[in-house]
Amino acid sequence: MFPKKQLSGNLKRQKKKKNDEIAQSLRGSLNKYFVKQPNASLENLDEDDLPNEYEHPIQLEELVENENDVNEEIGDLDENENSDEPFLDENENIDEPCHENECPETRFDLNIYDPRVWDNLDAKMRDLLIEKGPLRETNLKFPMDEHNRHFSSNYYIRTLPNGETKDRKWLVYSKELDKVFCFCCKLFKTMNSRSQLTSEGIRDWKHLGEKLRQHESSIEHLTNLRSCVELQIRLKTNQTIDTELQELIKKDTLHWKNVIVRIIAVVKCLAIHNLAFRGTNEKIYEDGNGNFLGLLEMIAEFDPVMQHHFRLIQDKKIHYHYLSHKIQNELIAILASNVKHAIIEKIKTAKYFSVILDCTPDASHKEQMTLILRCVDVSSTPINIEEYFLEFLNVEDTSGLGLFNELQNVIESLTLNIDDVRGQGYDNGSNMKGKNLGVQKRLLDINPRAFYMPCGSHCLNLIVCNMANSCVKAKSFFGACQCIYTVFSNSTKRWNVLLDYIDGLTLKSLSTTRWESHIESVKAIKSQASQIREALFKLTEISEDAKLSRDAQSLASGELSSFEFILSLVIWHDILHKINLVSKKLQSEDMRLDAAVRQLEGLVLFFENYRINGFVSAMIDAKQISLDMGIEPIFPKKRQVCRKRHFDEVSNSDREQQSAEESFRTDYFLVIVDIALGELKSRFEQLHCFESIFGFLFDAAKLTSLDDNELKSFCVNLENALKHGDVSDVDARDLFSELQVLQVMLPKEAYETDKPWTSIKILEFVKSVDMFPNVMVAYRILLTIPVTVASAERSFSKLKLLKSYLRTTMTQDRLNGLAILCIEKDMLENIKYDSIIDDFASKSATRRHFK
């Protein structure tokens, strides 16, 4: 019988067990060849003798993974240069999720400071952990177990028999597993270890205190603690076996730190300016390698650090270069995460916030909903009202329920409390503002204090559109304006003819969604009516198209030679100019309710006065323009129709005998003005409702003019408006008492001048004296309520730049990362990412010497 070619499974296990026993018996046998420092004696080591590094662990937010994951994630330039496969184009999707068996674990899910990954750490990663020390997160909300018990931060403290307390620096909590471990024993465990703190961890919160006392006095724990501290001291004093190697690692770490600083600077530059990163390939010093590598090549012309780095790449002396598209995505995600975290912290500090939503389709025909959060930053000086962009949400269900579910999910994912929402601002879509099934109604059902305010600028634009469609003459007027634009814009030659005659504003097209389209179109024609008419006459002469020649002749000899059209230009310019001024002021990020009320009251007053005096003033301006153009300033007379009257017909002699001028005034001018007045009062009804609740806080003059009975009544009304169940944001009696004192403390210049103090200036004063907590809350809520969704509209302009037709396959994560870096660039400049750079550098240097 032939002998077996290989050992059986049982013999293999026995052999492996024997080898493990031999290796364990030889553990630490080299220590006798090293001389220990006198102060490193740890014969009677206790956990209280740990170095200072354990007392204040380094707070890192970077992402660290094992070497295998890094090898699969980061691109290799050397392999790229020798590969025949085509590189990804800018419009190709580089972030598509791969299948379960095709890609490694996601990098962001692996955290080296989590004890669940410590079983498979190699020596260099263990050294890195020992050098950095354990990470202890504060302000964690520990989950309940099945017995309604949870871990407490009190377990980190050890009480000695004499009453003194010491910090258990070795105790580590894993928020992923909801268990506690021993830092030293987990990293230096042996096969004979029996403690749960060493292996699977402890989650028995009822008996945790007793188990910790037993563990910290055990021989196994003290031995592992000694090994841990000895290694810490050797790493700190460069007395490890590989001292020369450690020196090389430190030198390379400095090099990689300088490289990463420059790479992050390029990523920030491209993200802020909405520029594409990649080209048709990813090879340095080749055409079409994209903006990212192009900028780094430009830096290398003047910077010795990047020159050295590129030389190492070309000489194939480094394997990891951090120039691939994957590292770009990772850096974008890390920077965006830091900006987002900073924004969330500001919102949590402010407590109360408002939600602003708006939707639009992107270049890939996906519905994108932008999320803007508005809050009052009381910590800044002076106090600022901020509107922060958080992210774009890809929504498939655009009904009121679908959008509301998306809103709920994203607020929960941001660890914010939906009960702290004090305002919501949307456009006038039925799925948003619906009184029965809209988003605002569904949010009010669970949080009645989330005051809804329809977008003021959208409302003004709808008023303009309704005015433009209110009568036949108005429709004909804007139709003529659009026709004038179309005649010239449909051909570059015709447009050049127009430019030969005008030297100011160019013609603009009308739009029902662009807020300024009507005023821009009317303004361009009114200011250059004579030149445009001459251009039309010229076009009539040179055009070979009979239809075009007829249209140009009709416009030049008809509308632009008509006194009615000139008068309409003047009237519409006066009306649209005033509406546009108010709309622009409402679009500012720090617009307040009190300022919006004043602007709209001024607009209503303008229309009331214009209804009385506006027609006469418009006639004067129109006659002057007509005389300059050589047009007779008279209305065309209609022939009187003579017909037989029936015996029972009621005579309407006043209407029949009405002049053409009076008919123009009553059938055209008064119609559009009355439409504007009516819609201003109906569409901004909610704003007047807010005035009835917060109006007494709008300015110092109004606040100081109230007597005690009126003030008390307003305070009770405000308490009821800010109440949900049995909880209210303010107490009416305390607020009343504080406002009484505030009325006396306000200086005279706050209310005796022509410009009394506004709500935000009163809040500044209240903050400075620091004695009116209820008044602070009331003013913060008042300033939190949004007026327009202009910030959401502005974010859509960035969306069109980022997700263009060349980059339609961009993933949602990359889109959100680039968008928040671009829109919140001021926050990006204040972000400190030194820890990220240090960790990247240490990993890269370690990789090079431990490949």
Side-chain angles (χ1 to χ4, degrees):
M1 185 176 180
F2 295 103
K4 292 183 178 181
K5 294 183 179 181
Q6 58 183 4
L7 299 177
S8 64
N10 183 41
L11 293 176
K12 287 182 178 180
R13 287 191 291 272
Q14 292 179 2
K15 183 178 179 180
K16 182 178 183 301
K17 183 178 179 181
K18 184 176 180 180
N19 291 337
D20 290 343
E21 291 176 352
I22 295 174
Q24 184 63 30
S25 64
L26 295 176
R27 183 181 179 88
S29 58
L30 292 178
N31 292 343
K32 61 184 179 180
Y33 296 104
F34 298 92
V35 179
K36 298 181 181 179
Q37 296 292 337
N39 58 354
S41 178
L42 302 169
E43 295 297 331
N44 298 317
L45 183 68
D46 188 63
E47 62 271 16
D48 302 330
D49 301 322
L50 285 168
N52 292 333
E53 283 78 356
Y54 290 90
E55 186 173 358
H56 301 288
I58 299 175
Q59 301 294 327
L60 295 175
E61 299 177 2
E62 67 272 13
L63 309 168
V64 184
E65 61 278 313
N66 58 38
E67 184 179 7
N68 294 330
D69 287 338
V70 175
N71 291 339
E72 293 176 341
E73 287 291 322
I74 298 178
D76 176 17
L77 185 62
D78 298 337
E79 294 176 358
N80 289 341
E81 293 177 347
N82 299 325
S83 174
D84 296 331
E85 297 181 2
F87 288 89
L88 293 171
D89 197 283
E90 182 61 34
N91 61 348
E92 294 185 42
N93 192 345
I94 63 174
D95 294 325
E96 283 293 331
C98 47
H99 297 289
E100 183 178 359
N101 298 325
E102 295 180 5
C103 65
E105 184 182 359
T106 305
R107 301 182 65 177
F108 299 105
D109 294 334
L110 190 60
N111 183 4
I112 195 176
Y113 295 100
D114 192 346
R116 67 189 175 116
V117 301
W118 290 355
D119 291 330
N120 299 320
L121 290 183
D122 51 15
K124 59 181 179 297
M125 285 300 177
R126 189 189 66 176
D127 291 351
L128 180 63
L129 261 180
I130 296 296
E131 188 174 4
K132 299 288 187 181
L135 174 67
R136 180 181 295 177
E137 296 188 27
T138 57
N139 299 325
L140 280 179
K141 185 177 180 181
F142 302 107
M144 293 284 186
D145 62 6
E146 60 274 9
H147 303 295
N148 291 329
R149 297 176 180 273
H150 63 84
F151 179 73
S152 172
S153 300
N154 295 331
Y155 289 115
Y156 289 131
I157 306 301
R158 175 187 180 184
T159 304
L160 301 180
N162 62 353
E164 294 181 352
T165 58
K166 294 293 183 180
D167 187 7
R168 291 187 173 111
K169 302 159 186 141
W170 47 267
L171 187 61
V172 181
Y173 174 78
S174 172
K175 64 180 180 181
E176 301 293 339
L177 301 177
D178 190 27
K179 292 181 179 181
V180 291
F181 297 84
C182 176
F183 178 78
C184 305
C185 296
K186 185 70 174 175
L187 294 178
F188 293 90
K189 68 178 180 180
T190 62
M191 296 182 61
N192 298 325
S193 299
R194 297 181 179 180
S195 174
Q196 287 181 301
L197 290 169
T198 304
S199 54
E200 69 271 13
I202 294 181
R203 196 168 178 262
D204 183 6
W205 310 128
K206 182 177 180 180
H207 305 95
L208 179 60
E210 180 61 29
K211 292 184 177 182
L212 291 178
R213 285 189 290 271
Q214 294 176 1
H215 179 79
E216 60 194 358
S217 60
S218 65
I219 299 299
E220 177 188 357
H221 171 71
L222 295 176
T223 302
N224 292 330
L225 188 63
R226 171 180 177 173
S227 302
C228 179
V229 177
E230 284 180 348
L231 179 57
Q232 171 74 32
I233 294 173
R234 291 197 300 271
L235 289 172
K236 189 174 181 180
T237 57
N238 292 327
Q239 293 182 357
T240 56
I241 299 176
D242 51 357
T243 303
E244 294 182 0
L245 185 59
Q246 290 290 342
E247 290 295 330
L248 292 175
I249 291 176
K250 287 185 177 181
K251 183 178 179 180
D252 275 359
T253 299
L254 180 60
H255 163 74
W256 280 108
K257 183 175 180 180
N258 293 328
V259 170
I260 295 299
V261 167
R262 288 152 177 79
I263 292 177
I264 290 180
V266 172
V267 170
K268 287 172 58 179
C269 176
L270 294 175
I272 289 174
H273 293 89
N274 311 304
L275 298 175
F277 279 67
R278 293 179 294 114
T280 56
N281 65 73
E282 291 182 325
K283 299 178 181 179
I284 58 175
Y285 297 116
E286 287 195 7
D287 294 336
N289 57 7
N291 294 325
F292 178 76
L293 292 178
L295 283 178
L296 289 175
E297 290 171 4
M298 185 270 293
I299 293 174
E301 293 181 9
F302 312 97
D303 182 46
V305 174
M306 292 307 299
Q307 287 178 0
H308 176 61
H309 186 64
F310 278 14
R311 188 163 50 252
L312 292 176
I313 295 173
Q314 291 176 316
D315 296 342
K316 302 183 184 300
K317 292 184 178 180
I318 57 175
H319 186 68
Y320 304 100
H321 48 76
Y322 282 174
L323 301 181
S324 70
H325 60 265
K326 293 185 178 181
I327 203 64
Q328 297 170 20
N329 287 341
E330 185 172 347
L331 290 175
I332 291 170
I334 292 174
L335 293 174
S337 177
N338 279 269
V339 173
K340 196 172 186 179
H341 178 73
I343 292 174
I344 295 300
E345 289 301 316
K346 278 187 172 291
I347 294 173
K348 288 182 177 180
T349 302
K351 183 177 174 61
Y352 303 116
F353 63 95
S354 292
V355 176
I356 299 175
L357 301 178
D358 203 359
C359 296
T360 190
D362 61 15
S364 61
H365 309 290
K366 295 180 180 179
E367 191 73 12
Q368 299 284 355
M369 182 172 72
T370 183
L371 174 65
I372 308 290
L373 298 185
R374 175 186 172 107
C375 65
V376 180
D377 188 4
V378 185
S379 61
S380 64
T381 303
I383 296 175
N384 293 322
I385 301 173
E386 303 287 355
E387 291 183 356
Y388 294 112
F389 169 82
L390 269 297
E391 59 183 298
F392 290 116
L393 302 170
N394 183 16
V395 295
E396 297 180 356
D397 183 4
T398 56
S399 64
L401 178 60
L403 297 179
F404 176 68
N405 289 336
E406 286 286 345
L407 175 61
Q408 272 191 308
N409 294 335
V410 72
I411 289 179
E412 183 179 356
S413 67
L414 296 174
T415 65
L416 297 175
N417 189 356
I418 199 170
D419 289 332
D420 290 335
V421 177
R422 290 298 176 269
Q424 43 181 332
Y426 318 123
D427 59 13
N428 286 271
S430 59
N431 57 348
M432 291 290 194
K433 74 166 188 177
K435 295 183 178 179
N436 298 317
L437 300 176
V439 177
Q440 64 98 6
K441 178 62 169 61
R442 297 180 186 276
L443 183 54
L444 285 172
D445 288 341
I446 64 174
N447 182 8
R449 295 174 288 186
F451 301 106
Y452 168 64
M453 174 64 194
C455 175
S457 295
H458 271 102
C459 291
L460 290 177
N461 186 59
L462 291 176
I463 291 173
V464 171
C465 292
N466 290 340
M467 291 167 62
N469 297 318
S470 60
C471 61
V472 176
K473 288 184 181 292
K475 294 179 184 178
S476 177
F477 170 77
F478 283 106
C481 293
Q482 182 65 20
C483 189
I484 293 172
Y485 169 79
T486 305
V487 166
F488 289 106
S489 63
N490 283 349
S491 169
T492 55
K493 293 181 179 179
R494 292 178 233 159
W495 192 261
N496 289 331
V497 172
L498 174 66
L499 296 179
D500 291 339
Y501 284 87
I502 64 174
D503 53 0
L505 301 173
T506 57
L507 298 178
K508 300 294 190 298
S509 176
L510 294 175
S511 173
T512 57
T513 56
R514 288 188 62 246
W515 296 341
E516 296 184 43
S517 65
H518 287 81
I519 179 59
E520 289 176 348
S521 178
V522 172
K523 184 179 180 181
I525 298 175
K526 174 181 175 293
S527 60
Q528 304 165 118
S530 178
Q531 296 93 319
I532 294 173
R533 187 174 65 160
E534 293 298 324
L536 287 170
F537 280 131
K538 181 67 174 178
L539 198 60
T540 304
E541 297 175 3
I542 66 174
S543 177
E544 298 178 357
D545 188 343
K547 182 179 180 301
L548 175 63
S549 179
R550 179 193 173 279
D551 292 341
Q553 178 68 30
S554 176
L555 289 170
S557 302
E559 280 80 3
L560 287 174
S561 298
S562 168
F563 178 70
E564 278 193 5
F565 187 81
I566 301 301
L567 180 58
S568 297
L569 280 174
V570 175
I571 292 173
W572 278 107
H573 181 268
D574 292 343
I575 292 174
L576 295 175
H577 178 68
K578 184 63 178 179
I579 292 178
N580 188 58
L581 287 178
V582 175
S583 178
K584 278 184 172 295
K585 291 181 180 178
L586 294 182
Q587 292 173 34
S588 60
E589 293 184 2
D590 58 350
M591 175 52 60
R592 311 176 307 275
L593 280 180
D594 53 324
V597 169
R598 286 199 303 272
Q599 292 294 329
L600 292 171
E601 287 176 349
L603 187 58
V604 171
L605 183 62
F606 163 78
F607 275 107
E608 290 175 348
N609 293 332
Y610 197 74
R611 191 181 191 278
I612 301 172
N613 306 317
F615 187 74
V616 176
S617 62
M619 283 284 292
I620 296 173
D621 294 341
K623 286 180 180 179
Q624 183 62 44
I625 296 174
S626 299
L627 292 175
D628 294 340
M629 295 177 63
I631 301 173
E632 190 175 358
I634 59 173
F635 290 91
K637 291 184 179 181
K638 291 184 179 181
R639 183 178 64 87
Q640 293 292 333
V641 179
C642 297
R643 64 183 181 84
K644 184 180 178 180
R645 298 182 185 278
H646 295 282
F647 72 95
D648 59 347
E649 184 176 351
V650 178
S651 175
N652 191 7
S653 57
D654 293 341
R655 180 72 176 173
E656 293 174 355
Q657 296 176 5
Q658 199 174 50
S659 64
E661 177 181 337
E662 186 62 23
S663 176
F664 183 92
R665 177 179 175 274
T666 56
D667 296 341
Y668 185 18
F669 174 76
L670 293 181
V671 169
I672 60 177
V673 174
D674 289 342
I675 287 286
L677 283 171
E679 296 238 346
L680 279 172
K681 294 176 181 178
S682 62
R683 290 192 176 275
F684 290 96
E685 182 181 358
Q686 187 63 41
L687 199 58
H688 296 298
C689 178
F690 290 150
E691 186 179 11
S692 65
I693 299 174
F694 297 98
F696 70 107
L697 301 174
F698 278 179
D699 58 64
K702 188 174 294 186
L703 179 61
T704 55
S705 65
L706 299 175
D707 58 30
D708 289 348
N709 292 331
E710 292 175 329
L711 186 61
K712 188 173 184 179
S713 174
F714 282 123
C715 291
V716 172
N717 185 33
L718 181 60
E719 180 188 24
N720 294 331
L722 298 178
K723 181 177 291 185
H724 183 199
D726 297 331
V727 180
S728 180
D729 292 328
V730 296
D731 184 87
R733 289 176 296 180
D734 294 342
L735 179 62
F736 172 65
S737 302
E738 292 175 8
L739 288 176
Q740 282 183 312
V741 179
L742 181 61
Q743 286 178 327
V744 179
M745 290 186 62
L746 284 174
K748 291 185 178 181
E749 61 266 18
Y751 53 87
E752 289 186 352
T753 60
D754 295 335
K755 294 183 178 180
W757 282 9
T758 60
S759 55
I760 194 167
K761 197 162 186 180
I762 296 175
L763 181 59
E764 290 275 6
F765 178 80
V766 172
K767 175 188 173 183
S768 64
V769 296
D770 194 21
M771 57 184 292
F772 305 119
N774 284 275
V775 176
M776 281 280 290
V777 172
Y779 273 104
R780 283 161 51 201
I781 295 176
L782 165 63
L783 298 175
T784 300
I785 301 175
V787 177
T788 67
V789 297
S791 294
E793 297 289 346
R794 283 189 282 266
S795 69
F796 290 150
S797 64
K798 301 299 182 183
L799 173 64
K800 293 179 180 179
L801 293 174
L802 292 172
K803 199 167 186 179
S804 63
Y805 74 98
L806 292 175
R807 296 191 282 177
T808 55
T809 57
M810 180 184 296
T811 61
Q812 196 71 17
D813 291 338
R814 181 180 173 92
L815 172 64
N816 286 328
L818 292 173
I820 197 170
L821 295 180
C822 171
I823 298 173
E824 301 297 339
K825 55 186 177 182
D826 293 336
M827 295 287 293
L828 177 62
E829 296 299 329
N830 297 326
I831 295 298
K832 304 297 182 184
Y833 43 84
D834 294 340
S835 59
I836 302 173
I837 296 174
D838 291 340
D839 186 63
F840 267 104
S842 61
K843 288 189 297 180
S844 301
T846 305
R847 263 190 224 107
R848 184 181 175 189
H849 296 283
F850 284 94
K851 290 192 295 184

